[in-house]
């Protein structure tokens, strides 16, 4: 009996000894290991808040954006609800899609707003490192993202980033005109058919965030029939809802001009935009931007003085441009700088207007011309479709460089309506009508004035249809498109310019038409 009791005591001691030893060797301290998928997440550094920095191009589709790296499977569950999200957007002035208020056109530097983590997801408390253990150095991890027209964005911390993107458009076009002009010296009439391949545009974009409040942007490129040149180069200073831009930029004037070429329906801009395009100017611009409302005020040296794709520059002593816009709908102003609206796009309406005035001739190198422009535009978009209506009127008035020269004025106007819809997931059709009525001349145009046959003034009409196929399913960056346009009017009796970009050829009378096919890619 005594030996049995002794054996039982020894067995109990051995069991307790092994249990304590096993627990001492267990790093979890005996706590149950978490199930798979419930590991404690390391504290994540917030993504770069480049969206808080000034941007030029709000055309990036956030839903198309892809991050190079692994995304947590439960990331979607950490997004704030609609009410919280709307409050964050209003405070940061960055929406689901970047807003049109930050326009002009090609800046890839916009980022998603930084979403707040859920309240119950608390940061782990700092743990004192064990004696002799190496202290972890977070350093400055680099986050790399890529998105349509956002290009490749490399961010080092909350404000420093480097963004690179580009655009290439290769096209073939055929133009036929009923009555081409005749050379007055040789008496030889030009051919009725003009055709050939061309690179409509090739561009490189560079955006750099320098501090939390400072960013710079540059764009270099070439257009059909031109040379490589700086097309944009400016510095942005931003604080909360305000932005100050200085350098070479586009004054926000014409609604169609605020759209990237790859986001148009047709392969190029309309005849109305060709007549009133502001191009790039050198000056400063002040912007106030909220989710549904934005206003821009620019002060520059005149229209197209820095860069222009079609029309020549008109340098002034001073030029003032003012644009305001307001939007209704779930996304506010977001996305209205793109004509492409894929299926699932919520309904929205944007109303915008702008005025421009410039005067020159008082200082060396400026033209003795007064220009006054006014424009009104209405954009509507919905589930797989969009529509843009714009009307513009303006006056180019020469004051004469001295008392012996007569003053004159050319009054222009234009109207354009364009719309399209997706008939398949990656196939869209579109149509457009635009007209530049017969210009009105006040006074006497001198011989060296605008190239107009003032005794044979003519309106210029444009009718167009086309379709586009997006090569990469669900993405907009590679597009194969074709369009056909019929023009009725005489170019020498109208203010519509001829250019390799719009594929309009000079004609003495009658009409002309063209067919184009284009492959464009943006990164």
């Amino acid at each position: 009996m005594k030996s049995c009791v002794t054996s039982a005591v020894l067995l109990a001691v051995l069991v307790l000894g092994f249990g304590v030893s096993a627990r001492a060797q267990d790093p979890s301290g005996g706590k149950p290991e978490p199930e798979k998928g419930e590991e404690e997440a390391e504290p994540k550094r917030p993504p770069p808040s480049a969206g808080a920095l000034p941007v030029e191009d709000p055309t990036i589709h956030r839903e198309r954006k892809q991050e190079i790296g692994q995304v947590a499977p439960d990331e979607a569950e950490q997004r704030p609800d609609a009410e919280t999200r709307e409050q964050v957007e209003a405070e940061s002035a960055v929406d689901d899609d970047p807003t049109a208020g930050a326009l002009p056109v090609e800046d890839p530097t916009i980022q998603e707003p930084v979403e707040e983590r859920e309240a119950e997801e608390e940061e782990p408390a700092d743990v004192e490192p064990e004696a002799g253990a190496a202290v972890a150095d977070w350093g400055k991890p680099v986050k790399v993202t890529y998105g349509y027209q956002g290009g490749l964005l490399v961010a080092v911390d909350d404000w420093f980033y480097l963004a690179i993107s580009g655009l290439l458009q290769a096209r073939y076009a055929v133009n036929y005109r009923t009555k081409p002009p005749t050379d007055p010296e040789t008496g030889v009439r030009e051919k009725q058919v003009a055709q050939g391949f061309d690179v409509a545009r090739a561009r490189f974009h560079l955006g750099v965030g320098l501090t939390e409040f400072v960013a710079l942007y540059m764009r270099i490129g070439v257009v059909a029939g031109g040379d490589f040149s700086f097309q944009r180069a400016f510095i942005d200073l931003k604080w909360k809802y305000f932005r100050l831009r200085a350098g070479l930029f586009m004054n926000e004037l014409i609604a169609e001009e605020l759209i990237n070429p790859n986001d148009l329906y047709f392969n190029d801009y309309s005849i109305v935009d060709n007549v009133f395009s502001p191009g790039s100017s050198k000056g400063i611009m002040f912007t106030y931007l909220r989710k549904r409302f934005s206003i821009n005020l620019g002060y520059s040296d005149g229209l197209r003085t820095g860069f222009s794709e079609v029309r020549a520059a008109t340098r002034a002593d001073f030029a003032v441009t003012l644009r305001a816009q307001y939007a209704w709908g779930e996304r506010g102003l977001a996305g209205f700088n793109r004509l492409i609206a894929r299926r699932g796009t919520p309904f929205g309406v944007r109303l915008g207007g702008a005025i421009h005035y410039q005067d020159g001739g008082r200082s060396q190198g400026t033209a003795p011309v007064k220009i006054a422009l006014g424009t009104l535009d209405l954009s509507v978009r919905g589930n797989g479709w969009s529509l843009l209506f714009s009307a513009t009127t303006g006056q180019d008035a020469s004051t004469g460089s001295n008392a012996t020269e007569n003053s004159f004025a050319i009054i222009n106007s234009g109207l354009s309506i364009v719309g399209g819809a997706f008939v398949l997931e990656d196939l869209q059709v579109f149509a457009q009508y635009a007209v530049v009525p017969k210009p009105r001349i006040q006074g006497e145009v001198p011989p060296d004035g605008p190239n107009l046959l003032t005794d044979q003034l003519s309106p210029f009409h444009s009718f167009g249809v086309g379709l586009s196929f997006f090569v990469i399913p669900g993405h907009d960056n590679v597009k194969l498109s074709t369009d056909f346009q019929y023009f009725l009017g005489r170019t020498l009796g109208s203010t519509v310019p001829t250019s390799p970009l719009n594929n309009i050829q000079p004609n003495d009378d009658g009409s002309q038409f063209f067919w184009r096919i284009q492959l464009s890619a943006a990164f």
Side-chain angles (χ1 to χ4, degrees), residues 471-494:
V471 178
I472 304 177
H475 295 263
D476 302 339
N477 56 326
V478 182
K479 180 173 66 172
L480 178 64
S481 55
T482 180
D483 59 3
F484 174 87
Q485 290 198 48
Y486 174 79
F487 301 102
L488 183 61
R490 301 172 57 256
T491 56
L492 291 180
S494 171

Side-chain angles (χ1 to χ4, degrees), residues 3-315:
S3 62
C4 292
V5 172
T6 303
S7 300
V9 171
L10 291 175
L11 180 61
V13 170
L14 290 174
V15 170
L16 292 175
F18 278 112
V20 172
S21 175
R23 174 165 297 188
Q25 297 176 6
D26 185 4
S28 63
K31 296 181 181 179
E33 295 185 2
E35 297 181 1
K36 186 177 182 180
E38 296 182 357
E39 294 85 6
E40 291 186 5
E42 294 184 5
K44 298 180 180 178
R45 296 174 63 84
S49 59
L53 289 168
V55 297
E56 184 186 26
D57 183 11
T59 61
I60 302 162
H61 254 210
R62 186 177 145 184
E63 60 268 22
R64 306 263 185 261
K65 193 169 185 179
Q66 299 176 355
E67 180 178 336
I68 301 177
Q70 185 176 0
V71 180
D74 59 345
E75 182 179 347
E77 300 177 0
Q78 300 178 3
R79 297 185 179 274
D81 54 30
E83 182 177 356
T84 305
R85 184 174 181 173
E86 183 175 356
Q87 181 180 359
V88 172
E89 290 169 349
E91 294 176 354
S92 63
V94 179
D95 305 306
D96 287 345
D97 289 331
T99 65
L103 298 170
V105 182
E106 287 97 11
D107 190 357
T109 59
I110 199 162
Q111 275 275 71
E112 298 184 29
V114 179
E115 296 179 351
E116 297 180 357
R117 305 176 68 179
E118 295 182 358
E120 61 270 18
E121 186 180 354
E122 298 180 357
E123 292 287 345
D126 294 336
V127 179
E128 291 292 336
E130 297 181 3
V135 180
D137 183 9
W138 282 88
K140 294 291 184 180
V142 174
K143 183 170 183 178
V144 181
T145 59
Y146 174 78
Y148 166 59
Q149 288 197 351
L152 185 65
L153 190 146
V154 181
V156 176
D157 55 23
D158 288 354
W159 50 263
F160 183 82
Y161 63 87
L162 173 68
I164 303 174
S165 64
L167 170 68
L168 178 65
Q169 294 179 315
R171 73 170 58 153
Y172 173 80
V174 179
N175 176 285
Y176 176 85
R177 45 192 168 160
T178 57
K179 192 177 179 181
T182 300
D183 191 314
E185 296 182 358
T186 63
V188 177
R189 174 172 288 184
E190 296 182 7
K191 303 295 185 182
Q192 289 183 299
V193 177
Q195 58 86 29
F197 292 93
D198 208 342
V199 176
R201 292 176 180 87
R203 297 174 176 175
F204 294 98
H205 316 260
L206 174 65
V208 181
L210 301 177
T211 73
E212 183 179 357
F213 308 104
V214 182
L216 63 86
Y217 173 79
M218 290 179 287
R219 188 183 93 190
I220 185 173
V222 63
V223 297
D227 299 322
F228 267 96
S229 62
F230 273 102
Q231 301 173 357
R232 303 277 196 275
F234 57 79
I235 300 173
D236 274 355
L237 306 178
K238 185 174 181 180
W239 181 72
K240 293 186 176 180
Y241 311 116
F242 305 95
R243 184 193 67 201
L244 181 65
R245 173 168 295 170
L248 176 64
F249 57 87
M250 186 187 72
N251 280 306
E252 302 183 14
L253 184 60
I254 309 298
E256 188 178 355
E257 189 74 13
L258 305 180
I259 302 172
N260 277 328
N262 203 49
D263 293 323
L264 296 168
Y265 279 134
F266 283 80
N267 288 327
D268 226 292
Y269 297 94
S270 70
I271 58 174
V272 177
D273 182 86
N274 292 162
V275 173
F276 298 103
S277 171
S280 297
S281 303
K282 291 166 286 186
I284 59 174
M285 181 171 66
F286 170 81
T287 299
Y288 176 77
L289 169 65
R290 299 302 294 267
K291 180 179 179 180
R292 302 186 182 278
F293 172 76
S294 71
I295 185 169
N296 300 275
L297 177 63
Y299 183 86
S300 65
D301 58 357
L303 297 175
R304 304 176 292 275
T305 53
F307 169 76
S308 177
E309 290 188 333
V310 179
R311 291 193 61 186
T314 305
R315 188 181 174 192

Side-chain angles (χ1 to χ4, degrees), residues 348-424:
V349 180
R350 183 196 68 184
L351 179 65
I355 56 174
H356 173 87
Y357 178 80
Q358 70 179 60
D359 192 3
R362 297 179 179 84
S363 59
Q364 182 65 31
T366 62
V369 174
K370 294 180 180 179
I371 297 178
L373 299 177
T375 181
L376 187 67
D377 54 86
L378 177 67
S379 301
V380 186
R381 64 202 317 255
N383 183 18
W385 61 272
S386 70
L387 181 72
L388 172 62
F389 168 83
S390 61
T392 308
T393 184
Q395 172 179 290
D396 292 2
S398 174
T399 58
S401 59
N402 53 59
T404 62
E405 293 186 7
N406 296 328
S407 62
F408 69 95
I410 301 175
I411 301 175
N412 287 318
S413 59
L415 183 147
S416 172
I417 180 169
V418 59
F422 278 88
V423 294
L424 297 175

